Amino acid sequence: MLIAHLSDPHIRPRGELYQGLVDSNAMFDAAVHHLNALDPAPDLVIVTGDIVDRGTAAEYEQARTALRSIRQPVLLLPGNHDDRDAFRTAFADHSYLPSTGPLHFAVGDKGPLRILGLDVTIPGEHHGDATKEACAWLAARLSEEPERPTLVMLHQPPLESGIACIDAYNCRNGKGLAAVLAAHPQVERLLCGHVHRFMLARFAGTVLVTAPSTTTAIALRLAPDAAPASYVEPPAFLLHRWQEGAGLVTHLVPVGNFPGPLPFF
């Protein structure tokens, strides 16, 4: 099973730029074009939040247009730039999304891996929170199929990256989330976005990875007093490959055209 993992496209209304400077819509379209050229093709596509930039109806209309080019089933999770109610309205045809409350979901019919989405966003805030209610929902879902390999999606990672400006807005109550995950060893990956960079860490007995944004990258500035900044680095997404007996391998897929193929390896 192959799962393409995109994040943080920050889609804007048609003709408008992200932060007034960057064409995030064109960059997301390029990522989808690259994804559609993969051979073999992914079985499933997931997007871990910040589908749009300001949560407006015009942005979600544009997002639906962009997502229509993806040939595979798509699972969407909101981020801090999304509006939960507008998200729910825009993607009402995504039957896995609940009709009320946080947008948690459980999907088990797309292949051997089960996918759980945990909505840790807080309306009006940029940080996330793995609340007691969210952790209880996750524990209940994981208890349903304890032997089945599972991926858990959330937007804000529940740890510090070392980039101070974004760590101020991570997912709070990481200890509570860690306690749930540690009790359920079937979780193969904790899949996040939010930091606009690729990051990998051990977390609660599993592996946490963040997918880079399909638009700008938050500057890798690890000094505690570093000024916040972003760069237009080469965008990328992740490809998670599951094979029975071998487990899950995660690849970083740069988006674009590069010199090659060259006759060596």
Side-chain angles (χ1 to χ4, degrees), residues 51-52 55-65 67-68 76 82-98 103:
I51 311 302
V52 303
T56 67
E59 288 180 329
Y60 284 116
E61 181 180 355
Q62 182 64 26
R64 287 187 61 86
T65 298
L67 291 165
R68 202 171 292 128
L76 303 173
D82 289 298
D83 178 276
R84 186 178 287 165
D85 291 334
F87 187 105
R88 197 191 318 270
T89 298
F91 301 115
D93 56 331
H94 287 232
S95 59
Y96 57 90
L97 293 173
L103 292 166

Side-chain angles (χ1 to χ4, degrees), residues 128-191:
D129 191 358
T131 62
K132 290 181 180 179
E133 294 78 9
C135 288
W137 180 92
L138 180 62
R141 300 291 79 71
L142 289 171
S143 295
E144 292 170 347
E145 298 189 59
E147 303 301 322
R148 187 172 179 185
T150 301
L151 306 180
V152 177
M153 298 167 55
L154 67 160
H155 182 62
Q156 296 97 334
L159 46 68
E160 293 187 356
S161 67
I163 305 172
C165 65
I166 196 68
D167 287 341
Y169 305 119
N170 67 358
C171 180
R172 313 286 167 80
N173 191 31
K175 289 184 178 180
L177 180 59
V180 173
L181 295 172
H184 296 90
Q186 78 265 33
V187 177
E188 293 283 340
R189 289 284 190 281
L190 193 59
L191 306 177

